Amino acid sequence: MKWGYIAGIAASVVLMTLLEWPRLRQAKLRAAYLLLAISGFTLSVLLLAFPEMPGPTAWIEAVFRPVGRLLE
């Protein structure tokens, strides 16, 4: 059942890439798009496979909480 969801996520990423790729003329923009698309795909598949895993908000909070304490 999860394979269907993964196939849907992959199809969405491929469709978005096919639609956006011709508009991205610079190599830096293409690299940034690929990095974000691959990161988003990986995160969505991981959250699908491991639903109890903390999301990106929890990760950011864990990283920046000590920095926030230093700034106070």
Side-chain angles (χ1 to χ4, degrees):
M1 185 64 160
K2 289 184 182 180
W3 289 108
Y5 289 123
I6 293 173
I9 294 168
S12 298
V13 171
V14 169
L15 182 64
M16 288 188 309
T17 302
L18 289 175
L19 292 174
E20 290 296 326
W21 197 256
R23 296 180 189 174
L24 302 173
R25 304 257 185 238
Q26 298 175 355
K28 288 182 181 180
L29 288 175
R30 287 184 174 189
Y33 178 83
L34 285 177
L35 178 72
L36 289 172
I38 291 170
S39 299
F41 175 77
T42 304
L43 181 60
S44 62
V45 170
L46 281 174
L47 286 173
L48 182 66
F50 306 106
E52 68 280 350
M53 185 176 75
T57 306
W59 298 346
I60 291 171
E61 197 173 287
V63 170
F64 288 111
R65 182 173 288 152
V67 175
R69 288 182 187 151
L70 289 174
L71 294 176
E72 289 180 356

